[in-house]
Amino acid sequence: MAVLAMLFSGCKKENNTVENLSEKIMGMWIMTDKNGHPLPTNEKFVYTFVSDTKAYVSASITTHPETGTFWNDQLETDVTISDNKMMLTGHPNEHTTVMEYYTVTAINDSEFTANYEVTVTIDGNVAGNETMVLRFVKVKVNYKPEVIGFWECTELTGIETFNDVNARLMFYYDGTYKYWTKNADGEWQPVTTREFQDYFVDGTLLATRWKNVGEDELREWWEITSIADYQMEWTALRQNPDGSIVRQGAKWKKIK
């Protein structure tokens, strides 16, 4: 963290390639690419900058076991901006501090790219550090209010994950949901073996997590592409074991 602070305070004016970053960065952005490659949906973050000193960050992260798992539904984050550089500091829990350091190389009304470094400390000890090049695109719609209600899956394309066409989901205002499936007689019934079922929607990113009694917690990630006329569509990028990326899609109809 000290190294990042020195880098920030010692940045040189001539390296600035972006003007008025504090104005251009306002709004909601979703991470799409890492080091020139598309990100799987489960690694995506959503950032909402509301001022030049504050942002909210949403992400469901399980890919970094050395720093723990994160379930951040609009985590309040401190922001410092100088020239084309930003420092973001957040505290996912009382033990963990995440410090993100951006050097924005290009930004317009629809996307921005940046050189990025992140350091995670747990109880004051560095637990992880990573550098990369990131690309973000501007999110122009927030589906959080529209997802509320009872939905039935009508089509699933691509690889199979936890959802299938034998599924109904009831999304509630309080950030919980209920999963329904058909029994042997073809009747819909709620699944009652789960200890909890949580979700969040931030912009277009939809994250769910649940735990069956006596089993490990599970998670799934989607991006909502549209909600209109009682129809909803999802898409997701999944990573195969060989590292290749495959797209998955799902369609839903609203029934209540």
Side-chain angles (χ1 to χ4, degrees):
M1 292 175 59
V3 171
L4 293 178
M6 287 189 292
L7 284 171
F8 187 84
S9 61
C11 62
K12 295 182 179 180
K13 186 80 171 182
E14 61 267 27
N15 290 333
N16 185 16
T17 60
V18 174
E19 295 182 355
N20 302 320
L21 178 59
S22 60
E23 297 177 10
K24 294 178 179 178
I25 200 64
M26 292 299 108
M28 182 180 291
W29 306 83
I30 188 168
M31 191 185 300
T32 61
D33 296 81
K34 173 181 174 181
N35 295 331
H37 301 286
L39 273 173
T41 303
N42 61 297
E43 295 184 25
K44 293 188 175 184
F45 286 66
V46 174
Y47 290 73
T48 303
F49 292 87
V50 296
S51 74
D52 58 0
T53 61
K54 184 183 294 185
Y56 294 90
V57 181
S58 294
S60 169
I61 298 298
T62 62
T63 52
H64 300 291
E66 69 276 8
T67 58
T69 61
F70 297 146
W71 178 263
N72 296 337
D73 181 3
Q74 292 200 319
L75 174 71
E76 186 172 328
T77 302
D78 295 326
V79 179
T80 303
I81 298 176
S82 177
D83 296 328
N84 66 327
K85 300 181 185 297
M86 300 189 297
M87 292 181 68
L88 280 68
T89 306
H91 305 280
N93 57 57
E94 61 182 359
H95 300 284
T96 305
T97 297
V98 178
M99 179 169 282
E100 301 171 277
Y101 180 82
Y102 288 85
T103 300
V104 178
T105 54
I107 185 170
N108 57 34
D109 291 339
S110 60
E111 65 179 285
F112 80 86
T113 55
N115 298 319
Y116 173 83
E117 181 171 358
V118 59
T119 298
V120 179
T121 61
I122 299 176
D123 294 328
N125 299 311
V126 175
N129 177 267
E130 191 174 7
T131 60
M132 63 195 79
V133 177
L134 296 178
R135 175 177 174 267
F136 289 77
V137 299
K138 194 111 182 224
V139 180
K140 299 181 179 180
V141 61
N142 189 348
Y143 287 115
K144 185 174 184 176
E146 297 178 71
V147 79
I148 304 300
F150 204 12
W151 299 89
E152 181 179 322
C153 188
T154 59
E155 182 180 330
L156 187 71
T157 58
I159 62 174
E160 291 190 7
T161 53
F162 297 106
N163 285 297
D164 56 36
V165 291
N166 184 28
R168 284 181 173 180
L169 299 176
M170 172 69 86
F171 293 103
Y172 298 99
Y173 285 99
D174 64 357
T176 65
Y177 74 98
K178 189 169 289 184
Y179 173 66
W180 291 58
T181 188
K182 288 182 180 179
N183 61 22
D185 297 323
E187 300 170 328
W188 289 102
Q189 60 182 13
V191 174
T192 59
T193 57
R194 294 185 174 182
E195 295 182 15
F196 62 81
Q197 299 174 91
D198 300 325
Y199 82 95
F200 70 74
V201 173
D202 197 5
T204 56
L205 182 65
L206 166 64
T208 59
R209 64 176 180 178
W210 67 95
K211 185 179 184 301
N212 291 312
V213 176
E215 298 180 4
D216 294 333
E217 178 186 303
L218 296 171
R219 299 191 183 190
E220 191 163 83
W221 303 258
W222 291 89
E223 292 173 76
I224 303 173
T225 56
S226 66
I227 301 179
D229 300 324
Y230 302 98
Q231 305 291 320
M232 177 166 60
E233 294 190 19
W234 297 353
T235 188
L237 294 179
R238 313 292 191 197
Q239 188 168 28
N240 290 318
D242 64 1
S244 61
I245 300 294
V246 61
R247 183 173 295 277
Q248 186 183 26
K251 295 182 179 181
W252 302 79
K253 67 177 181 180
K254 197 168 191 177
I255 58 176
K256 186 182 293 186

